[in-house]
Structures are given as structure tokens and as C-alpha cells.
Amino acid sequence: MTHDNSWPVALKFMSIGASKIHNNRQIVMTLDHDVQNKSEANLKKYRQIEEFAKKHGVDFYPAGRGIGHQIMVEEGYAWPGTVTVASDSHSNMYGGVGCLGTPVVRTDAASIWATGRTWWQIPPIAKVTFTGVLPPGVTGKDVIVALCGLFNKDDVLNHAIEFTGSEETMRSIPIDDRLTIANMTTEWGALSGLFPIDSVLQSWLRAKATTSAMLRPELGDQARFTHAKIDELINNPLTADPGATYAKELYLNLSTLSPFVAGPNSVKVATPVKDLEAQKIKLDKAYLVSCTNSRASDIAAAARVFREAAKDGVIPKIADGVKFYIAAASLLEQQAAEETGDWQVLLEAGAEPLPSGCGPCIGLGTGLLEPGEVGISASNRNFKGRMGSTEAKAYLASPEVVAASALKGYIAGPGWYQKPEGVEKVIVGEGSGNFAQDKARSIEDALDKLVSQADNIIANAEKDLFGGASDAAAAAEEEETLTEILPGFPEKIEGEIVFCDADNINTDGIYPGKYTYQDNVPPEKMAEVCMENYDKAFREIARPGDILVAGFNFGCGSSREQAATAILAKKIPLVVAGSFGNIFSRNSINNALMGVEVPRLVKRLRETFKTKDGEEKVLTRRTGWKLTWDVRRSKVIVTEGEGGQTWSQKVGELPPNVQEIIARGGLEKWVKAQIEA
């Protein structure tokens, strides 16, 4: 699926020399991001996208029909047991219906259009086990906000997640809640979040198939939801292998959860609603929008807040000074909410309707946060500056908490949650949550460790006894690990280190959202606004040829390729970080920006340039340190300033196939060369 970025993808598609989409049944186009923009330039782009889709026989959904991810689910494109991708970071959402959803970027999309294929590195798999059941008043949004806030040390960074639990546990999580949880696994740092194909999903699919047969009988077997397809799915279920091992296992006891709020300006800060309610944090704006939490069930939950506060049948108004914006995830979801009267209840309360689309969630159109304002949203992302001003504060919560906050004028819950007896704190941890099972596994791991230690003892003894031969073998091995350098590719990259001392610098921080859907932004402008939402001083401090060094999880967030191309526009050839968000890594390779992970360097920089008490933290700093990346030897050499120590560190190898893509100027030019060849 591609959305408003379909035309930029089409331009890439045509620039590589492609003229025919490999499989037009593989492609879906939606218009959802900038639907409030009625400028001639945007309307022209929308016409170009529609005409391109019509020409190539691609399924197309116009502006106002719904958010792409919701359409992919409700129309049956994201089918359980398959892989579905979109050029958008919240493609993880498809995992809520047992479909492996993961994001790709624009260049990947163009390549898929042309060839039907793309590339992946197989990620580590994390297993997240749910125990207990969701208490009344606790939602899927509370689950994922709690996971992001309680496991906030990059625990699942660049992992694919499998969610599991007993039948009783999983029955307490409806499909809409699963979609919310899966959607926001990207905020947790994961590449995907997959729920099982279980009885809950089967019931949901049966209902969709029955509705389809009643409303569109003429489609017959051609319908995307059919009972025959569901039968086949049930008869050939996709499940984890017995005894499967995982890179990481975590658990969360749902019974111990209460409503949570994320923020301000971070999903990694999660606070129980009751704690914030006591603070009476005044609100300016509330939002029930986005693909995450704007389905009919969410609108119903919000409407219930106002219905229960009604007196003599009169729906109360939202609090003075608060604006409450609502936009359904799709036109079908809005129609369903209208049929139940829930949509009208919110309008009667004073909510302002917006067209179905991303709008305020992405920082586009009506209702953005102004400097000094506080907002609470049922959307998925609250990075600083994403929903408006960098000087505003944004919180995330469930639809009912958003509605209750809009009604009261400060962050508050509806009062539906009743703490279960004996629950004092959220129970989370590593393992499966089954003590006996986890204990047995830890014993097994300890035995494996002992065997490994014994192997090391033997190896060291052999080295002591046959040192000469072992040293020679080691030297030979070192020689064998030299990376082949393609003709024309630099063997070394070097420059002065500019240090951006922060973790989780996101794509909105690197390249502001307000420029993302402006086409043909010149490189000079991209260079000027690079890192603007992180630190406005960056534009003056960083120079061409510098090596940009940042903390951990650099480039998390959206799939915008400009996060990489803006850095290139700044003429910075290399980014070094403690770790990278996977989507930024893809964009970097696809756009010929090089990146290397060196956690030790981040640690040394922080030790050397530690902020002293009473001093304001320096966000961007020229260090005077020099870094050289020896590509052939897969090594970085760091000189810590004039007269400082010099040290080296082995890093990941840059294989020839990646070199070739970068040397060509990115994946787009590489694919073009392949087509021409």
C-alpha cells in the first residue's frame, strides 16, 4: 500500500525505466495524509495518483474514503497468514489480524512495483506472552502504552514480535484492540507485531464474510472475505513450531493493568491515569483521530463518556477552552458510528469533525498544537513537534480517556476502571510469566553456559599448547575477513565528529513532518531544515564532511526517506550511532547514506562531554574528535581530539552487494541499472 506518497513512488518507478507494474493485484493506493489540503498543487498530485492507478489497473481509494491501514484491514487486503507491506511506518497494524505487516520505504515500493520483490534482513524474534484478562475499563491502547513505558530500554528494538497467551487471555482482547496494539509496536521499536490466528480472529472473519455475502452477492468467490477462504485458513493454520526458541521473551499480566497515559512528547513515559488526574493538567486540545483508535468501537467508547454524564437526556458540552477534534478511521467506520448515534453524540457535545484521514496525527491541516498548548490524543505518536509546535506538550491515551479529558478540561479518566482485589502494581518481566516453566528454562540456559565455558577452556588450552599454530591461524582468519571493496568505492571515510547527544532522535526530529508532503523541496532547503525539530542550532554547527554521531535508536519513527536524504543534502557522508531504527537503516541504504553502529563511541563521548551540574545540556556539539571508518577492515579508528588517545573498534562488514547499491547512488539507480542490463 502507498498513500499520498504514491506519486513520488511513481516518479521513482518511472525514473528507473519501468513502464509496467509487475503485478497490479499486488498494489493498493489510498489518499489519506494531506486530505484537508485543497491547494492546486496537492489536488494536482491527487489527480496524478488516480490517473496512474487507473492506467495500471491498481485498486485506488480517494481522499475521504479512509486511512490506508484501516482500508487494508476492512477490505481484506491484509489477509491472515500472508505478508503485507506499506510505505508507512504503521504497517505493523496488520499483525492485529494475523497478517505479518511491516513498513518499507518509497524506493522499496518502486522496486516492488517494478519487480514484485524487495529485500529484508531476517530480524530477531521476540515473544510477548499475555497472562490474565483485560479488566473492565482497560483497553488495547493501555496495553501498548504500558509496554512502551515499562519496557523502555529498546528491549524489542528491530525485533519482530509474536503475541501469545492462553485462550481465555486472548479472548479478552478484541480485534480492534489487537489492531491498536500491533499498530503501535512501531513506537515500541519493533518491526512487526503479530497476533495469532485464533478463535477471536476466526469469528471476526466469519462476520466479515457473512456481511460481504449479504451486501455484495454478485462478487461470489471473487470477494476478499469468503467462508471458503476462512475454512482453508483454519485447516492450514500458521503457528509457531513446537519448541521454537526466541531471541527474547517478555510477559505482561493484563489483569494488573489500569488505564495509562503516554507522555508528554514520548511513548516511553507511561503514567497511570489516576496519577495524572490528581495533577489536573489543563488541556487545550483533544483528538480522536488516526488509524490507531478511530474505529466505530472507539467512537462508541468516547460517546459513552458523554452519554453517562448526561442529565435529563441532555448531552454535556466539552469543557470551556478545549477543542475536541474527531475523524473516523474510514468512511465505513463513520457510517457505523452514525447508525448507532455515537457520532452525533460527539457532535452534540461540541466536537469538530474532520475528514477521514491522518490530519493532526501527522501535523497536517486543522487543529495543530500551538506553542504552550497541551493536547491529548488517541493517535499513535507524540514526538515533540509532530502534532504542531515543538513548544507544545502531547499525550496519548485511549478514546475514553481522551473523551473524559475533553469533558473535564484536564487529563482524566471516565471512572470505569475498578482495581481488582490484591492488585498493587503492574506485573511484567522476562520469560513467559509461568514461574515453573521459566525456572526450567533458566536451568537449561545455565547448562548451555557451562558447556560453552568448557569449550572455551579447551580452546584456550589448545592455544597455550600450540600457540604458534593458533596465532598463525588467527592471523590468517583476520586476513580472510577483509572486506572486498568494489572499484570506485572508498576504502576509508573520515571526518570530524559532530555529536548529537540524545537517544531516540526520531524522523520528525531529523526532517519535520510539515515538509514531508511538499514535493520538489530543493536540497538546499532540506539541508537547512535538517535536524530542525531536534535542535535548530544544528544547521549552523554541522558542516559538510562532518561525521554525525548520535545516541541509541537513531531514526525511529516514520518511513519518510527525507530523514536520510536531508542528511545527505547537508553533505554529511556517514552517520554513527549506538543503534539505528530499522526503517532509517533501510532508507539510508536505499538512498546511499552510510551508517555504522559503535556503542562504545557514544559512551566515550558522553563520558568526556558530560553536562555538569547547573549547565544546560548541549544538544549539538563540535567535538574536535576525528573518526575514520576503514571499510576494508570493518574497523573505525577514533582520535579523541588534539593529543588525545586513539583507539579502534571492529564494526559490521559492508558487503559488496550493499556497496554496489550505495556506489550506484541508491536502490533506485541500482534497479534502473539492472533493468537496463
Side-chain angles (χ1 to χ4, degrees):
M1 186 272 288
T2 54
H3 45 69
D4 291 35
N5 54 23
S6 296
W7 187 242
V9 173
L11 293 175
K12 288 178 177 290
F13 173 81
M14 291 182 285
S15 74
I16 62 179
S19 58
K20 183 177 183 295
I21 287 180
H22 179 79
N23 179 1
N24 61 2
R25 297 294 84 199
Q26 209 175 14
I27 313 301
V28 180
M29 296 181 186
T30 66
L31 300 180
D32 60 11
H33 271 55
D34 205 12
V35 296
Q36 298 179 47
N37 183 356
K38 304 301 183 181
S39 69
E40 179 53 36
N42 195 57
L43 294 176
K44 179 183 177 182
K45 180 171 71 175
Y46 280 7
R47 288 194 299 272
Q48 289 171 320
I49 294 170
E50 185 172 5
E51 289 166 2
F52 184 92
K54 185 178 180 179
K55 176 182 176 182
H56 292 275
V58 169
D59 286 2
F60 170 79
Y61 294 85
R65 170 60 178 80
I67 300 174
H69 301 306
Q70 177 63 28
I71 289 172
M72 295 295 285
V73 170
E74 70 184 28
E75 293 292 339
Y77 295 105
W79 188 256
T82 68
V83 177
T84 300
V85 302
S87 56
D88 187 274
S89 58
H90 291 103
S91 312
N92 298 26
M93 179 170 134
Y94 313 142
V97 290
C99 170
L100 183 60
T102 194
V104 295
V105 297
R106 292 180 181 182
T107 307
D108 293 322
S111 174
I112 293 170
W113 290 8
T115 67
R117 299 177 296 166
T118 189
W119 65 272
W120 279 288
Q121 292 174 303
I122 303 301
I125 312 298
K127 182 180 181 181
V128 176
T129 301
F130 294 133
T131 63
V133 296
L134 278 180
V138 180
T139 70
K141 185 60 157 279
D142 301 309
V143 173
I144 189 61
V145 167
L147 287 171
C148 291
L150 298 174
F151 295 105
N152 60 4
K153 305 298 183 186
D154 294 337
D155 301 78
V156 295
L157 180 64
N158 297 331
H159 285 60
I161 298 172
E162 289 182 20
F163 292 109
T164 188
S166 70
E167 185 177 350
E168 180 187 21
T169 294
M170 301 311 284
R171 277 204 307 267
S172 77
I173 312 174
I175 295 300
D176 282 1
D177 288 75
R178 296 182 183 194
L179 292 169
T180 297
I181 295 168
N183 182 294
M184 283 187 62
T185 54
T186 190
E187 314 309 334
W188 199 12
L191 296 179
S192 63
L194 187 67
F195 277 85
I197 302 171
D198 60 3
S199 60
V200 177
L201 179 61
Q202 291 169 22
S203 297
W204 183 86
L205 290 169
R206 293 290 188 193
K208 297 286 285 187
T210 300
T211 302
S212 176
M214 292 172 60
L215 299 180
R216 301 291 303 278
E218 72 277 7
L219 293 177
D221 294 342
Q222 299 304 308
R224 281 185 284 273
F225 291 100
T226 68
H227 288 288
K229 287 180 66 176
I230 300 167
D231 290 339
E232 183 181 352
L233 186 69
I234 295 170
N235 293 332
N236 299 281
L238 184 66
T239 59
D241 295 333
T245 58
Y246 296 84
K248 187 167 294 184
E249 292 193 43
L250 308 170
Y251 71 89
L252 169 65
N253 187 330
L254 300 181
S255 298
T256 64
L257 271 185
S258 66
F260 269 77
V261 174
N265 298 344
S266 174
V267 295
K268 294 194 173 190
V269 180
T271 308
V273 171
K274 62 179 178 62
D275 294 347
L276 293 179
E277 189 163 5
Q279 300 176 32
K280 286 189 165 46
I281 300 171
K282 186 180 179 303
L283 280 184
D284 297 287
K285 288 170 181 165
Y287 307 88
L288 181 55
V289 299
S290 86
C291 55
T292 312
N293 273 125
S294 271
R295 285 171 282 278
S297 61
D298 302 310
I299 297 166
R304 179 187 166 190
V305 172
F306 289 92
R307 279 197 175 101
E308 292 191 355
K311 294 181 179 179
D312 299 324
V314 179
I315 299 297
K317 299 293 185 181
I318 60 177
D320 291 340
V322 177
K323 290 190 174 185
F324 185 18
Y325 298 97
I326 59 173
S330 74
L331 186 59
L332 297 185
E333 294 293 317
Q334 181 174 327
Q335 289 170 348
E338 290 173 344
E339 289 173 4
T340 58
D342 295 324
W343 187 260
Q344 289 87 336
V345 165
L346 297 181
L347 295 180
E348 191 173 341
E352 298 183 32
L354 299 174
S356 180
C358 303
C361 179
I362 192 73
L364 296 171
T366 299
L368 304 189
L369 289 172
E370 301 293 333
E373 288 189 334
V374 175
I376 189 166
S377 177
S379 54
N380 45 44
R381 190 167 283 164
N382 61 339
F383 298 150
K384 184 177 73 171
R386 176 178 172 86
M387 298 184 68
S389 172
T390 57
E391 299 173 20
K393 291 181 178 179
Y395 294 84
L396 302 178
S398 67
E400 43 263 73
V401 169
V402 169
S405 301
L407 177 62
K408 295 180 182 179
Y410 56 88
I411 295 177
W416 300 339
Y417 173 72
Q418 299 295 319
K419 188 177 76 170
E421 187 175 347
V423 172
E424 299 302 330
K425 63 177 183 179
V426 180
I427 298 176
V428 298
E430 296 183 3
S432 68
N434 184 314
F435 177 75
Q437 182 179 318
D438 292 339
K439 183 178 179 181
R441 185 181 291 113
S442 66
I443 292 172
E444 186 178 329
D445 291 342
L447 290 172
D448 288 341
K449 187 176 181 180
L450 287 171
V451 171
S452 178
Q453 288 174 343
D455 288 342
N456 288 334
I457 290 170
I458 295 170
N460 289 332
E462 289 177 342
K463 185 176 181 180
D464 291 338
L465 290 169
F466 310 104
S470 293
D471 290 344
E477 185 179 347
E478 176 73 17
E479 188 68 27
E480 290 172 0
T481 60
L482 291 178
T483 301
E484 177 189 354
I485 302 296
L486 296 183
F489 196 90
E491 291 194 15
K492 293 181 179 179
I493 296 171
E494 54 190 0
E496 182 178 348
I497 292 174
V498 169
F499 184 37
C500 292
D501 187 7
D503 298 329
N504 307 305
I505 297 177
N506 55 70
T507 50
D508 283 83
I510 301 168
Y511 191 78
K514 63 184 178 182
Y515 302 109
T516 304
Y517 296 98
Q518 293 182 24
D519 296 332
N520 302 316
V521 178
E524 296 79 15
K525 182 65 176 179
M526 296 181 73
E528 179 187 332
V529 303
C530 181
M531 304 294 286
E532 181 178 270
N533 278 2
Y534 165 71
D535 181 16
K536 284 185 169 58
F538 180 88
R539 70 179 63 170
E540 305 298 333
I541 297 172
R543 302 168 187 164
D546 285 341
I547 306 296
L548 172 59
V549 179
F552 293 83
N553 197 20
F554 182 81
C556 58
S558 79
S559 60
R560 66 191 66 171
E561 67 176 12
Q562 297 96 328
T565 56
I567 293 172
L568 285 169
K570 193 69 175 174
K571 295 185 170 57
I572 291 173
L574 174 65
V575 180
V576 181
S579 60
F580 290 100
N582 178 268
I583 202 159
F584 180 84
S585 299
R586 285 190 78 92
N587 267 320
S588 295
I589 294 171
N590 287 351
N591 289 283
L593 174 65
M594 290 176 278
V596 180
E597 293 185 351
V598 191
R600 180 184 173 188
L601 175 58
V602 178
K603 182 180 178 182
R604 284 292 301 138
L605 285 164
R606 286 176 169 169
E607 288 173 348
T608 305
F609 299 105
K610 184 178 180 181
T611 303
K612 297 177 182 175
D613 291 342
E615 290 184 350
E616 186 176 349
K617 183 177 179 180
V618 178
L619 296 178
T620 307
R621 178 191 302 271
R622 299 202 67 82
T623 63
W625 292 24
K626 302 293 184 182
L627 181 143
T628 300
W629 179 24
D630 189 328
V631 182
R632 181 178 293 280
R633 290 171 174 77
S634 301
K635 182 188 294 185
V636 296
I637 301 98
V638 176
T639 301
E640 298 184 354
E642 192 72 31
Q645 67 167 313
T646 297
W647 52 270
S648 63
Q649 173 78 53
K650 287 288 276 185
V651 295
E653 181 181 347
L654 191 69
N657 59 336
V658 178
Q659 291 181 41
E660 185 179 359
I661 291 173
I662 294 173
R664 288 281 188 183
L667 185 63
E668 182 181 340
K669 294 179 180 178
W670 181 87
V671 173
K672 182 178 182 180
Q674 297 298 305
I675 291 174
E676 291 173 347

